[in-house]
Amino acid sequence: MLRKARFKTQRRLGVELPGLGKSGALERRPYPPGESGNKRKKYSDYALRLEEKQKLRYHYVLKERQLRRFIRNAKTGKSSHWVNKLISLLEKRLDNVIFRLGFAPSIPAARQLITHGHVLVEGKKVDIPSFVLKENQAVSIKQKSLKNQIVLQGLQSPRLDMPDYLRKEEKQGQIIGIVQAQPNVEHIPFAFNTGLFTEYYAARKA
């Protein structure tokens, strides 16, 4: 998704989605494309619920079928708090963890690092962006990849503060990120209405 398209997406949803990269999507025109600042469209209940779903999908850069698969996984078992489980899975995706650790300026950029073989999990190369990390697993960037422009940009200007479910430590001159706890809905880095989101899926089969 190109920068212009990313900005339009955020304007349409009325919220900045950090996963898409550079901030400023709503600074000059904090209203949807095709509308003026003085007059906003009225949204139906369905449209409001749909927006919450779209926020998740676009922030985490997921296709519809990918999000549905994660929702099905989150709904397995006896837990009634499936949204918390869903967010935990999404936040622990390797591409998101690389982004949240500040190794990349956006999730698409993190995905590029992963698919090009620059990322290690427990010291072994993992090139699958959707790989879901487990608690206490360690993530790092290959030593020779630390001069990669994506990594340098991420480390110099992190898009977000690092969340408390992650920590960084240095071992033998290498920066390592560790998943130290389970993330939940409180770690979503944008305004998100869980009630509207669950209502959207209440009468649907993921």
Side-chain angles (χ1 to χ4, degrees):
M1 190 187 294
L2 298 175
R3 179 183 170 186
K4 188 174 181 181
R6 293 177 190 175
F7 271 32
K8 280 190 174 181
T9 295
Q10 293 171 85
R11 285 179 57 206
R12 186 170 68 250
L13 295 172
V15 64
E16 288 215 358
L17 303 174
L20 296 183
K22 189 174 180 180
S23 63
L26 305 180
E27 285 179 3
R28 291 181 59 192
R29 299 178 180 177
Y31 47 85
E35 297 183 19
S36 70
N38 298 322
K39 187 178 181 181
R40 292 182 64 92
K41 257 166 86 174
K42 289 186 178 179
Y43 290 93
S44 66
D45 289 343
Y46 171 79
L48 290 172
R49 293 166 187 156
L50 176 63
E51 272 194 354
E52 296 308 305
K53 186 264 290 186
Q54 296 292 66
K55 287 178 186 179
L56 276 192
R57 191 168 80 80
Y58 284 112
H59 168 75
Y60 291 105
V61 197
L62 301 170
K63 293 180 180 178
E64 190 69 36
R65 60 181 174 79
Q66 292 175 310
L67 179 57
R68 287 200 300 266
R69 185 175 72 247
F70 273 99
I71 290 172
R72 284 196 298 270
N73 290 341
K75 285 184 173 181
T76 57
K78 297 180 180 180
S79 174
S80 60
H81 304 292
W82 68 269
V83 178
N84 259 332
K85 187 176 178 182
L86 170 66
I87 300 307
S88 180
L89 291 170
L90 295 179
E91 283 287 314
K92 290 185 297 180
R93 275 178 58 110
L94 184 57
D95 53 2
N96 182 73
V97 169
I98 291 296
F99 167 61
R100 297 300 298 265
L101 285 168
F103 290 138
S106 69
I107 291 177
R111 191 167 292 179
Q112 184 177 332
L113 284 178
I114 295 164
T115 57
H116 288 184
H118 298 293
V119 174
L120 304 174
V121 177
E122 297 294 327
K124 296 180 180 179
K125 183 180 77 173
V126 175
D127 57 7
I128 303 170
S130 61
F131 180 85
V132 177
L133 292 155
K134 297 177 182 177
E135 197 167 338
N136 296 319
Q137 281 195 309
V139 181
S140 60
I141 303 295
K142 285 183 177 179
Q143 195 69 32
K144 64 180 181 180
S145 301
L146 291 175
K147 294 183 179 180
N148 183 287
Q149 287 303 309
I150 290 176
V151 179
L152 291 174
Q153 185 182 349
L155 291 174
Q156 289 171 4
S157 304
R159 180 68 176 84
L160 295 170
D161 293 333
M162 191 173 67
D164 59 8
Y165 69 85
L166 297 173
R167 78 173 187 271
K168 275 183 183 176
E169 54 186 54
E170 191 171 325
K171 288 185 178 179
Q172 300 176 340
Q174 188 175 30
I175 303 172
I176 295 174
I178 297 173
V179 179
Q180 64 179 1
Q182 293 293 330
N184 54 50
V185 293
E186 294 179 0
H187 293 102
I188 299 174
F190 53 87
F192 182 72
N193 188 313
T194 56
L196 290 174
F197 180 75
T198 53
E199 285 172 14
Y200 178 82
Y201 283 103
R204 290 171 173 267
K205 292 182 179 180

